[in-house]
């Protein structure tokens, strides 16, 4: 149980997908303007990452390894993720139309979010069991959500701040992202 907790905490803080591994930058910058959108995107990514990690681990272990087709893992993982994102998109569109509209183009971009593909590949590379893969996926998704919500909160506050004209928009967002990455480096000595 201790190892599972360490995997979870490590994925949230030490090996944060956005701030340490630099995966999932597109939705991080694009959706982090409003906290509500960031939370919605974080929940969608959490759901997709957990399902993708579970499905890709099972397909890898029980089909690809069994038939010696490990070289197809990346292609198979992309197909699994694309199918899962389509499912999540349909669920959000039916259950939360306002969230679906606020996420806009970034919801289908979960399909190409390298953090989701990264979790599937990392779980195989780190030789995690199914349970460890699931904890790693949840930790990675929670870390992604945490970074997204922190960034969205800061960007909302920056809307009312006096920022030089040359730094408004993306320049100040990238400066803040760099400072957040430096702050998260402080967790590196924990594990």
């Amino acid at each position: 149980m201790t190892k599972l907790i360490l995997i979870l905490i490590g994925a949230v803080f030490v090996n944060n997908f956005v701030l340490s591994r630099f995966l999932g930058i597109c939705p991080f910058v694009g959706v982090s303007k409003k906290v509500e959108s960031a939370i919605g995107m974080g929940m969608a990514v959490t759901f997709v990452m957990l399902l993708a990690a579970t499905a890709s681990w099972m397909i890898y272990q029980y089909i690809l390894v069994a038939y010696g087709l490990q070289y197809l893992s990346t292609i198979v993982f992309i197909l699994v993720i694309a199918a899962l994102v389509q499912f999540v998109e349909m669920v959000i569109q039916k259950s939360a139309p306002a969230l679906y509209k606020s996420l806009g183009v970034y919801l289908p971009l979960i399909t190409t979010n390298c953090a989701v593909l990264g979790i599937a590949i990392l779980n195989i590379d780190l030789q995690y069991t199914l349970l460890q893969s699931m904890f790693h996926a949840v930790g990675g998704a929670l870390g992604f959500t945490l970074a997204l919500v922190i960034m969205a909160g800061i960007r909302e506050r920056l809307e009312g701040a006096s920022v030089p004209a040359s730094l408004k928009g993306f320049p100040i967002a990238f400066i803040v992202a760099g400072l957040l990455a430096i702050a998260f480096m402080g967790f590196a000595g924990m594990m």
Side-chain angles (χ1 to χ4, degrees):
M1 188 64 175
T2 304
K3 185 170 182 169
L4 294 176
I5 299 298
L6 287 174
I7 289 171
L8 183 80
I9 292 171
V12 173
F13 297 109
V14 179
N15 297 314
N16 187 290
F17 277 87
V18 176
L19 302 173
S20 295
R21 295 186 188 269
F22 304 110
L23 297 172
I25 298 295
C26 178
F28 175 70
V29 174
V31 181
S32 64
K33 293 179 182 175
K34 300 274 184 219
V35 173
E36 295 83 23
S37 298
I39 291 171
M41 178 61 119
M43 290 188 312
V45 168
T46 301
F47 185 67
V48 169
M49 278 180 112
L50 179 60
L51 289 179
T54 305
S56 62
W57 188 91
M58 287 184 180
I59 289 170
Y60 184 82
Q61 296 298 329
Y62 297 124
I63 296 173
L64 298 180
V65 170
Y67 294 103
L69 300 171
Q70 295 93 324
Y71 59 90
L72 293 175
S73 61
T74 303
I75 295 169
V76 170
F77 293 166
I78 290 170
L79 292 173
V80 167
I81 291 165
L84 290 171
V85 169
Q86 288 300 316
F87 172 70
V88 169
E89 186 175 3
M90 289 187 302
V91 168
I92 290 176
Q93 187 176 13
K94 292 289 183 190
S95 63
L99 176 62
Y100 178 79
K101 188 176 180 181
S102 72
L103 291 175
V105 71
Y106 294 102
L107 187 58
L109 281 177
I110 295 175
T111 304
T112 57
N113 185 343
C114 52
V116 180
L117 179 60
I119 198 74
I121 292 172
L122 281 170
N123 286 338
I124 300 304
D125 287 348
L126 296 170
Q127 298 178 348
Y128 282 158
T129 65
L130 177 60
L131 191 58
Q132 289 173 332
S133 295
M134 293 169 74
F135 270 77
H136 190 227
V138 169
L142 290 176
F144 178 84
T145 304
L146 177 66
L148 206 61
V149 170
I150 290 171
M151 183 69 167
I154 293 171
R155 286 181 77 178
E156 280 185 359
R157 297 284 308 251
L158 285 173
E159 288 294 320
S162 107
V163 176
S166 61
L167 293 179
K168 285 197 183 279
F170 284 118
I172 194 71
F174 286 129
I175 291 169
V176 169
L179 292 172
L180 280 174
I182 291 170
F184 269 68
M185 282 177 50
F187 293 116
M190 287 178 52
M191 305 192 137

